[in-house]
C-alpha cells in the first residue's frame, strides 16, 4: 500500500515524452485488485486506466467512486478515469473527491464539453474527451483546445477483450492532425504489441491495455513489450 489520499494532480503535462502505458483495471481479477495494481506499478505502468460504466451509455456496469477511493488509497500511480456515463457533468466532483487525477468524458453525451473540461481543470484534474468508433473526428473541433488528451476508442465501448478495429487507424491520424504537440492521443480497445505499433505509427502516444496486460502470466513483461512496440 503506497498510496495515500492526496489532491488530484493533472498527470499529462508532467509525464514526459514517448509512449505511455495505461493498464486497464477492468481486466483485473477484482478479488486480487491490490496485488495486480502493485504488479502493474512495479512493471512500469505510467498511469492506471479506470473504466466507469453506467449500463446506459454502454451496455455494462463496472465501478464507481467507492472503488476509485480504495484504489487511490492503495497506489500513487496517476488514475486515468474513463467515464462511460450519460450524465458525466453530474459525476466529475465525485470522482475528483474519490481520487481521480484525470477524467475523460464522451463527446456523444456532453452538452457543454468546453465548460466540462474547464471544470476539470479548475478541480486540478486532467481533462480528456473521447469518441465512439461511429463518431467522426470533426465532432471534437470545438473542445480540442480545452483538453489535455483525446481518447480514440478502437472498439465499441462496454467490454474488455474485444478485437481491435483497424478502420480506426485513419481517425487516429486525423485526430493527431487536430492536436498540438503537447496534447496526448490515447487509444483504447484491443491494444497489444502489434496494434500498439500500428497506432503509434498513426500518431497515438498513450496506450490502454486490459486483457493484454492483466490476462498475461507476466504483467511486467507485457508492459515492457507494449512500450517497445509503441516506441516511435
Ligand atoms: C472498453 C474500455 C477499455 C477496455 C480495454 O469499453 O474502455 O478500457 O477495458 O480492454 P482490452 O484492452 O482488453 O480491450
Ligand atoms: Zn477505457
Amino acid at each position: 500500500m503506497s498510496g495515500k489520499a492526496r489532491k488530484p494532480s493533472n498527470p499529462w503535462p508532467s509525464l514526459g515524452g514517448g509512449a505511455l502505458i495505461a493498464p486497464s483495471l477492468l481486466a483485473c481479477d477484482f478479488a486480487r485488485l491490490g496485488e495486480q495494481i502493485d504488479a502493474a506499478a512495479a512493471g512500469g505502468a505510467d498511469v492506471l486506466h479506470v473504466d466507469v460504466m453506467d449500463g446506459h451509455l454502454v451496455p455494462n456496469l463496472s465501478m464507481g467512486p467507492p472503488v476509485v477511493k480504495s484504489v487511490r488509497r492503495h497506489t500513487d500511480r496517476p488514475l486515468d478515469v474513463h467515464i462511460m456515463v450519460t450524465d458525466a457533468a453530474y459525476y466529475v466532483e465525485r470522482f475528483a473527491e474519490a481520487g481521480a487525477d484525470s477524467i475523460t468524458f464522451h463527446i456523444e453525451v456532453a452538452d457543454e464539453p468546453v465548460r466540462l473540461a474547464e471544470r476539470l481543470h479548475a478541480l486540478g484534474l486532467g481533462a480528456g474527451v473521447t469518441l465512439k468508433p461511429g463518431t467522426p473526428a470533426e465532432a471534437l473541433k470545438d473542445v480540442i483546445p480545452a483538453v489535455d488528451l483525446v481518447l480514440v476508442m478502437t472498439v465499441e465501448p462496454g467490454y474488455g477483450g474485444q478485437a481491435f478495429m483497424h478502420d480506426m487507424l485513419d481517425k487516429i491520424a486525423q485526430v493527431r492532425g487536430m492536436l498540438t504537440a503537447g496534447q496526448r492521443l490515447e487509444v483504447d480497445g484491443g491494444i497489444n504489441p502489434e496494434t500498439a505499433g500500428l497506432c503509434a505509427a498513426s500518431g497515438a502516444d498513450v496506450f490502454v491495455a486490459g486483457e493484454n496486460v492483466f490476462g498475461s502470466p507476466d504483467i511486467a513483461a507485457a508492459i515492457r513489450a507494449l512500450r517497445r512496440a509503441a516506441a516511435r
Side-chain angles (χ1 to χ4, degrees):
M1 174 111 61
S2 61
K4 55 188 179 309
R6 62 167 171 74
K7 280 192 170 314
S9 162
N10 181 351
W12 307 116
S14 57
L15 274 170
L20 300 177
I21 308 303
S24 168
L25 301 186
L26 187 69
C28 284
D29 170 354
F30 284 100
R32 296 188 302 125
L33 184 58
E35 182 194 316
Q36 297 205 309
I37 287 173
D38 292 344
D46 298 289
V47 301
L48 297 174
H49 186 81
V50 182
D51 290 306
V52 176
M53 302 175 178
D54 68 351
H56 203 256
L57 181 62
V58 295
N60 198 2
L61 290 169
S62 61
M63 53 196 113
V67 174
V68 172
K69 198 169 181 182
S70 302
V71 171
R72 173 70 299 147
R73 271 203 308 269
H74 187 83
T75 181
D76 60 7
R77 290 286 83 201
L79 300 183
D80 165 33
V81 177
H82 173 195
I83 54 174
M84 290 158 269
V85 304
T86 306
D87 190 356
Y90 176 80
Y91 284 101
V92 288
E93 269 83 11
R94 285 164 185 74
F95 282 104
E97 277 154 32
D101 291 299
S102 182
I103 293 178
T104 297
F105 57 87
H106 272 266
I107 192 68
E108 294 89 0
V109 287
D111 298 335
E112 297 178 300
V114 174
R115 279 186 64 180
L116 190 49
E118 288 165 353
R119 251 172 77 198
L120 290 169
H121 283 146
L123 290 164
L125 275 77
V129 65
T130 182
L131 65 181
K132 292 181 175 184
T135 305
E138 291 73 26
L140 300 177
K141 76 177 178 351
D142 297 335
V143 70
I144 279 190
V147 297
D148 304 286
L149 170 144
V150 171
L151 163 55
V152 175
M153 288 304 304
T154 47
V155 296
E156 257 325 306
Y159 297 94
Q162 299 181 77
F164 178 82
M165 298 170 69
H166 286 76
D167 52 349
M168 289 300 111
L169 291 169
D170 290 347
K171 190 198 275 185
I172 293 168
Q174 194 186 354
V175 169
R176 175 45 76 187
M178 297 165 75
L179 296 174
T180 59
Q183 292 177 298
R184 304 279 180 179
L185 201 163
E186 186 172 41
V187 287
D188 185 11
I191 299 299
N192 57 38
E194 186 222 329
T195 55
L198 295 172
C199 291
S202 297
D205 58 6
V206 186
F207 304 84
V208 176
E211 208 50 45
N212 183 261
V213 169
F214 293 113
S216 161
D218 187 337
I219 288 172
I223 293 173
R224 283 196 301 275
L226 283 169
R227 195 182 301 285
R228 265 196 313 275
R232 285 192 279 169

